[in-house]
Amino acid sequence: MTRLLWRTPSTRLSREAEKRGGRTAMIAAELIHNIWSTRKADSLVGMKLMLAEVIGGSDDGRRLIVVDTIGAGIGDRVIVCTGSSARKMLHIDDVPVDAVVVGIIDADCMFE
């Protein structure tokens, strides 16, 4: 039996996790904009969505939408947790979230 998998560009993080044996990743990113959505899934109501840009590594400059649970703001460099670990941070298993801000990176921390 052949299994068909539907893939879209937004599932890139999931594919990368599959390559690592299903493990999720923590990513350094900079928050560059707020995301406003008047219509969204009920499970996302009340969550602060932001646009983040990856810092460093092979995905440098790639953008992703993250849920901010710690009150970070535009311009902050943050640690983003992805995959099922992101949902665990929200304490909700059935929410359609794949990336959550879990920390703010100190200003004196340098990336090369």
Side-chain angles (χ1 to χ4, degrees):
M1 172 185 257
T2 303
R3 292 173 64 181
L4 299 176
L5 299 176
W6 180 258
R7 302 266 190 218
T8 64
S10 64
T11 61
R12 182 173 179 196
L13 285 176
S14 299
R15 286 186 305 228
E16 290 171 0
E18 287 174 10
K19 290 177 189 175
R20 293 188 305 270
R23 295 186 315 268
T24 56
M26 294 184 79
I27 300 168
E30 181 176 349
L31 298 177
I32 58 174
H33 212 292
N34 290 307
I35 302 279
W36 301 104
S37 176
T38 55
R39 295 188 62 166
K40 55 189 163 193
D42 289 341
S43 58
L44 294 175
V45 171
M47 292 189 187
K48 180 181 174 187
L49 302 175
M50 299 194 77
L51 185 61
E53 189 171 284
V54 175
I55 300 171
S58 61
D59 288 332
D60 187 47
R62 185 171 55 91
R63 294 180 175 188
L64 62 151
I65 297 173
V66 300
V67 172
D68 175 23
T69 60
I70 62 172
I74 295 172
D76 283 340
R77 294 183 312 155
V78 295
I79 301 167
V80 177
C81 183
T82 62
S84 61
S85 298
R87 285 185 294 283
K88 288 179 184 176
M89 289 300 303
L90 300 173
H91 306 290
I92 307 169
D93 288 333
D94 60 349
V95 66
V97 170
D98 193 48
V100 174
V101 174
V102 296
I104 298 173
I105 299 170
D106 292 339
D108 60 350
C109 182
M110 300 301 293
F111 290 90
E112 306 220 15

